[in-house]
C-alpha cells in the first residue's frame, strides 16, 4: 500500500503567481510567507523580473524569509516567455531550490508584471493564480483575458481601494465569478492581509495533501 | 486523503490488463477522468467516478496519459481516462484570410493543428469564447467555423 500513504510527496508543489504590473503580486507573497510559516509549511520563492532582481531583493530584505530561499530569474524579454513558451529557466531554478532545500514543500513562482493574456505552462507549475486589482479598473474581468479566465484562482487585490477609485466591488467580484463560470475568485487586501488565508487554504487544499489530511 | 504518487504502467500492459479486468467485475476499478490540458499537471486533486477524493503527486519526470494506472492491488485500482479533445474547425476562404487567421491564433496563443487548409483549435473552454475573438472574420464569412457540436 506504499502508493496510498499520506507522506509520499515527491518534491515541492509549485504555484505560479501572475498578473499586471502593480497589481500586488509581491505584496501578496509578503503576506503568504508568514501565513505558510504559521502552518509549519516550508516554502521557497522564485521571482521573475525583466532585467533586474528587484522583487527578489525586496523579499530578501524583508526579513520574512531566509534570503537564500529566494531565487531570481531575469526574463530578459516579455515576462510570459519564461513562464509559458519556454519556462526552462524557471524549471531549473525550481529544481535547484528543491535540491538545495529538500524540506521545502511549496515553491511560489512570481511572474514579472505582464498583461491580461499572461498564462503559466503546466510543465512549470501545478496551479497558478492571476492577481488583478480594483484600481486597475472594474472592467478587467469583462475583458476576459486568458489570465482572468484560465487561472486556477483569480485574486482581486486592493478591495479596500474600491470606494476611492469609483469601483463597485461587489459588482466587479460578481462579474469575475460569471466570466469564470464560478471557478474560484478570492478578494483580498494584501496590505492588511484580509482574505489572504483563503488563498493559503486554496493552495493547501488543492496541492499539499499531506497537510489537509492532518 | 489517498495520495497516488506513481504511474505503475498502462492499462493496456499485458501484466496489468488481466488484473484490471478481474477487478472491474468486482467493482474495484476507479476511473479518474481528466481533460487533456490537466494531464500536464504533476500534482492535482481529483475525484474518481466512484466519488473518492484523491491527490495525484507524481515526480516531475512522469506524465499522465490515457490508461495510466496509478494504483493496483487485489481490491482496488485507480486508472486515468483522458477526455476526448474537442476541436473548433476554422476554414478560411482564401490564402489572405488564412494568413490573418494564423496571426490571430498565434497572437492568442491557441493550441492548434492543421487539417489541409483548415485550422483546428483545441478547446479549453466554451467554443463561443474562441469565436468571439475572431468575430469579424466569421461575421464577414471569410472564415467558416464548425464547433464539435456543429455551428
Amino acid at each position: 500500500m506504499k502508493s496510498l500513504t499520506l507522506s509520499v510527496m515527491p518534491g515541492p508543489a509549485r504555484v505560479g503567481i501572475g498578473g499586471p504590473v502593480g497589481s500586488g503580486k509581491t505584496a501578496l507573497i509578503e503576506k503568504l510567507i508568514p501565513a505558510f510559516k504559521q502552518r509549519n509549511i516550508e516554502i521557497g520563492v522564485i521571482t521573475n523580473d525583466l532585467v533586474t532582481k528587484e522583487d527578489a531583493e525586496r523579499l530578501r530584505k524583508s526579513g520574512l524569509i531566509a534570503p537564500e530561499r529566494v531565487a531570481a530569474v531575469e526574463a530578459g524579454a516579455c515576462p510570459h516567455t519564461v513562464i509559458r513558451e519556454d519556462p526552462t529557466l524557471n524549471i531549473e531554478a525550481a529544481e535547484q531550490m528543491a535540491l538545495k532545500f529538500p524540506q521545502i514543500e511549496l515553491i511560489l513562482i512570481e511572474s514579472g508584471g505582464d498583461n491580461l493574456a499572461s498564462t503559466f505552462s503546466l510543465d512549470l507549475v501545478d496551479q497558478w493564480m492571476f492577481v488583478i486589482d480594483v484600481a486597475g479598473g472594474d472592467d478587467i474581468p469583462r475583458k476576459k483575458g486568458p489570465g482572468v479566465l484560465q487561472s486556477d484562482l483569480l485574486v482581486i487585490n486592493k478591495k479596500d481601494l474600491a470606494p476611492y477609485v469609483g469601483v463597485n466591488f461587489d459588482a466587479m467580484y460578481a462579474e469575475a465569478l460569471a466570466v469564470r463560470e464560478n471557478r474560484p475568485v478570492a478578494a483580498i487586501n494584501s496590505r492588511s492581509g484580509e482574505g489572504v488565508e483563503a488563498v493559503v487554504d486554496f493552495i493547501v487544499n488543492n496541492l499539499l495533501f499531506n497537510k489537509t489530511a492532518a | 486523503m489517498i495520495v497516488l504518487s506513481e504511474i505503475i504502467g498502462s492499462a493496456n500492459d499485458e501484466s496489468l490488463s488481466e488484473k484490471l479486468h478481474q477487478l472491474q467485475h468486482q467493482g474495484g476499478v476507479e476511473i479518474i477522468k481528466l481533460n487533456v490540458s490537466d494531464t500536464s499537471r504533476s500534482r492535482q486533486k481529483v475525484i474518481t467516478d466512484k466519488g473518492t477524493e484523491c491527490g495525484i503527486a507524481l515526480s516531475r519526470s512522469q506524465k499522465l496519459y490515457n490508461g495510466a494506472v496509478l494504483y493496483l492491488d487485489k481490491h482496488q485500482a485507480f486508472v486515468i481516462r483522458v477526455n476526448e479533445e474537442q476541436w473548433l474547425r476554422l476554414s478560411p476562404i482564401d490564402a489572405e484570410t488564412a494568413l490573418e487567421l494564423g496571426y490571430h491564433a498565434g497572437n492568442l496563443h491557441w493550441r492548434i493543428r492543421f487539417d489541409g487548409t483548415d485550422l483546428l483549435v483545441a478547446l479549453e473552454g466554451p467554443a463561443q469564447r474562441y469565436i468571439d475573438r475572431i468575430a469579424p472574420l466569421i461575421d464577414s464569412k471569410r472564415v467558416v467555423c464548425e464547433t464539435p457540436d456543429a455551428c
Side-chain angles (χ1 to χ4, degrees), chain A residues 196-212:
Chain A
V196 171
E197 282 300 319
V199 178
V200 176
D201 285 341
F202 180 84
I203 294 171
V204 170
N205 290 337
N206 285 291
L207 295 176
L208 303 175
F209 314 127
N210 50 347
K211 299 294 178 182
T212 53

Side-chain angles (χ1 to χ4, degrees), chain B residues 50-61:
Chain B
K50 295 188 190 308
T52 307
E53 191 174 72
C54 307
I56 295 175
L58 301 178
S59 71
R60 296 190 187 276
S61 59

